[in-house]
């Protein structure tokens, strides 16, 4: 096994990649994790009795293999393309088919509630931005080079750096 690792690992290290080459190993790893995740859920559905499964396994099993388009849709879904399988395949299937919690009939919060929550979050973000931009005139990087800053205790310096964005 050590000789296999010696052959396979060094070429995948950035140390051995010339500058400008594309390192594909991160994306390949994510694709492998997604395939393993799907295989485990499929295996749970086809090799175990439902009463042997945990609640999590019961919620994510699927019995039929997906088609090529459905599989590629899951693989390249924006929500888990770069970060790995942050959602299970069954969740993706229900989202695409508008089943379960994504079914229009299952919505408990009206659309206006979601919209108003988004507007409120946007308003808070804009108010925070205006506040920080207005404070930048007083609390900026130039303050860190003043004699006042040098004379302050460590805790005041840390708070000043946090407020000033340093």
């Amino acid at each position: 096994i050590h000789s296999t690792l010696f052959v396979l690992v060094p070429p995948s290290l950035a140390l051995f990649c010339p500058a400008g080459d594309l390192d594909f190993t991160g994306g390949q790893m994510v694709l492998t994790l997604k395939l393993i995740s799907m295989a485990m859920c499929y295996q749970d559905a086809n090799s175990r009795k439902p009463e042997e499964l945990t609640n999590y396994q019961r919620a994510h099993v699927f019995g039929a293999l997906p088609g090529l388009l459905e599989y590629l849709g899951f693989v390249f879904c924006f929500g888990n393309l770069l970060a790995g399988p942050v959602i299970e395949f069954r969740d993706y299937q229900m989202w695409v088919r508008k089943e379960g919690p994504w079914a229009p009939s299952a919505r408990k919060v009206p659309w206006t509630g979601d919209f108003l929550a988004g507007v409120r979050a946007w308003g808070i973000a804009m108010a925070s931005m205006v506040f920080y931009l207005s404070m930048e005139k007083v609390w900026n990087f130039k303050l860190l080079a003043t004699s006042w800053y040098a004379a302050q205790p460590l805790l005041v310096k840390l708070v000043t750096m946090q407020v000033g964005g340093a």
Side-chain angles (χ1 to χ4, degrees), residues 109-127:
V109 178
W111 177 81
T112 55
D114 293 344
F115 180 73
L116 293 176
V119 169
R120 188 179 78 233
W122 182 82
I124 291 170
M126 291 300 113

Side-chain angles (χ1 to χ4, degrees), residues 73-139:
F74 171 68
V75 165
F76 294 109
C77 175
F78 179 73
N80 64 4
L81 177 63
L82 298 177
V86 295
I87 59 171
E88 297 282 354
F89 179 73
R90 183 67 186 132
D91 291 333
Y92 173 78
Q93 263 186 334
M94 288 192 306
W95 176 68
V96 168
R97 296 175 182 173
K98 295 191 184 307
E99 298 172 348
W102 292 280
S105 61
R107 302 229 0 130
K108 293 182 176 99
V109 178
W111 177 81
T112 55
D114 293 344
F115 180 73
L116 293 176
V119 169
R120 188 179 78 233
W122 182 82
I124 291 170
M126 291 300 113
S128 298
M129 182 180 70
V130 168
F131 172 74
Y132 281 113
L133 288 175
S134 66
M135 292 303 294
E136 197 270 335
K137 295 175 186 169
V138 178
W139 297 91

